[in-house]
Amino acid sequence: MVLTANVPTAQGSRYLQQLCKHWGHKFETEFDAEKGVIAFPMGPIRLTAGADMLAVTIEPKEDADVERFKQVVAEHLDRFAFREAPLRFDWR
């Protein structure tokens, strides 16, 4: 299963880098200004920044609590986006 949310924001690159740096202390991460990957325990998180959105893709492992996975990612991004939080996640 792969779920993606296109989150409307002009700060996608900033939030992508903040999230990768934040979780980089605990998990393996790889990122630049446009894209990032976090080796999260519930499954990988892939981020791609556009001019007016941040694409967030999660790939939950079979035993992962998918709703909790979505919630953890959204809560962390909302913390970095406190000026425009809550961000809108349209998981598909």
Side-chain angles (χ1 to χ4, degrees):
M1 172 191 314
V2 177
L3 295 168
T4 300
N6 290 320
V7 182
T9 179
Q11 302 297 320
S13 177
R14 173 192 225 167
Y15 301 152
L16 174 160
Q17 293 176 71
Q18 285 179 302
L19 188 64
C20 288
K21 286 176 188 171
H22 173 76
W23 274 334
H25 299 290
K26 292 183 178 180
F27 315 119
E28 188 177 322
T29 60
E30 188 177 313
F31 67 95
D32 59 28
E34 285 92 39
K35 58 188 177 305
V37 179
I38 302 164
F40 202 67
M42 287 189 243
I45 302 168
R46 300 181 197 290
L47 305 156
T48 306
D52 58 358
M53 66 97 190
L54 176 63
V56 181
T57 300
I58 60 173
E59 297 176 37
K61 293 181 179 176
E62 266 187 48
D63 61 342
D65 179 340
V66 176
E67 291 307 310
R68 179 72 185 132
F69 194 175
K70 293 190 296 189
Q71 180 184 4
V72 167
V73 173
E75 285 175 355
H76 277 77
L77 283 168
D78 276 346
R79 273 189 232 149
F80 300 127
F82 63 92
R83 287 184 183 90
E84 59 179 317
L87 296 171
R88 197 175 76 242
F89 290 80
D90 61 343
W91 295 106
R92 293 177 264 133

